[in-house]
Amino acid sequence: SQQGEEDPQALSIQEGENATMNCSYKTSINNLQWYRQNSGRGLVHLILIRSNEREKHSGRLRVTLDTSKKSSSLLITASRAADTASYFCATDAPGRGGKLIFGQGTELSVKP
Amino acid sequence: NAGVTQTPKFQVLKTGQSMTLQCAQDMNHEYMSWYRQDPGMGLRLIHYSVGAGITDQGEVPNGYNVSRSTTEDFPLRLLSAAPSQTSVYFCASSRTGGAGSGANVLTFGAGSRLTVL
């Protein structure tokens, strides 16, 4: 069963706008990661947030984590056409031996 | 530095045939894993390995075998292909993995697209 569920499933915005994607999960976690997948390619790691962190930044990316609600959000500010991709959250939970379980992904389209 | 290399990129099989998807990494990563990606299903873990000689099952292991005789290679074998195994397969590795060894940040291969007729 999927640990992470993401919404929206698809998001279409204009260049320059901000994009927000959400991820919910079911069990306690060690950390949560976000990955990007361009069409027809493998996934690329974007950012990791640990269970004792609430917010993390990397360039135009901002990730928040609310362990009480078992949810995370990924914000991409000032989006560009090159940000068009699918975005996945992945969780690493205690007792899982490091296995990452992925959500179903959000498909982001940024129109120029 | 090639990273994670998967071969073949594309393969068409007939039901009942067997084949092996190859995965090799040159980063001396301990942890390697196989995922399949299907529309609307995200990525699902098939098998994984925390080091040479050690493998374990993921979420959807049925119909697949793996072995890890070296640190670099982690082949995925389809024993008797079925149309339900039509998918895109990704191999991924990380420097760490396993309980207590640190965050498992994955490096992915480019994928292998398999069609079973």
Side-chain angles (χ1 to χ4, degrees):
Chain A
S1 63
Q2 297 291 327
Q3 163 75 321
E5 293 190 4
E6 292 157 77
D7 89 280
Q9 288 190 325
L11 180 61
S12 182
I13 59 174
Q14 296 293 131
E15 255 190 338
E17 294 180 338
N18 294 343
T20 300
M21 289 157 270
N22 302 296
C23 170
S24 60
Y25 56 91
K26 298 174 184 173
T27 67
S28 60
I29 60 172
N30 291 326
N31 63 71
L32 186 144
Q33 303 177 36
W34 286 90
Y35 288 78
R36 183 187 73 222
Q37 183 181 33
N38 290 91
S39 180
R41 310 287 291 273
L43 281 73
V44 175
H45 178 257
L46 292 176
I47 194 166
L48 176 150
I49 187 165
R50 299 187 187 277
S51 60
N52 60 353
E53 297 175 313
R54 292 297 166 257
E55 188 170 312
K56 205 157 181 184
H57 296 255
S58 176
R60 293 184 296 112
L61 305 181
R62 173 181 169 245
V63 170
T64 60
L65 180 65
D66 186 335
T67 53
S68 66
K69 295 182 179 177
K70 292 187 171 57
S71 68
S72 173
S73 67
L74 170 68
L75 169 68
I76 304 174
T77 59
S79 57
R80 306 164 180 167
D83 295 327
T84 294
S86 293
Y87 293 82
F88 295 87
C89 67
T91 56
D92 179 1
R96 210 191 282 160
K99 290 185 292 185
L100 286 188
I101 303 298
F102 284 79
Q104 296 174 337
T106 293
E107 195 172 322
L108 173 66
S109 174
V110 182
K111 301 188 186 311
Chain B
N1 198 350
V4 178
T5 302
Q6 291 185 233
T7 56
K9 290 192 185 329
F10 301 95
Q11 182 72 48
V12 179
L13 290 178
K14 294 181 180 177
T15 297
Q17 288 185 316
S18 63
M19 76 156 300
T20 300
L21 299 177
Q22 302 291 345
C23 176
Q25 52 89 9
D26 61 359
M27 298 172 285
N28 202 31
H29 283 176
E30 296 175 0
Y31 181 92
M32 297 185 75
S33 55
W34 277 102
Y35 288 86
R36 60 177 289 174
Q37 184 176 32
D38 303 292
M41 300 290 289
L43 281 84
R44 292 181 290 169
L45 181 64
I46 305 171
H47 285 286
Y48 67 102
S49 168
V50 298
I54 306 169
T55 63
D56 206 344
Q57 297 181 350
E59 303 169 88
V60 288
N62 292 341
Y64 307 94
N65 271 1
V66 291
S67 60
R68 184 94 181 271
S69 56
T70 67
T71 300
E72 294 78 19
D73 300 298
F74 191 44
L76 178 72
R77 296 183 186 84
L78 282 71
L79 307 174
S80 177
S84 61
Q85 293 178 303
T86 293
S87 187
V88 181
Y89 291 85
F90 288 98
C91 179
S93 70
S94 73
R95 183 172 56 83
T96 61
S101 59
N104 198 16
V105 174
L106 296 177
T107 299
F108 279 81
S112 297
R113 184 176 295 274
L114 175 67
T115 301
V116 183
L117 302 175

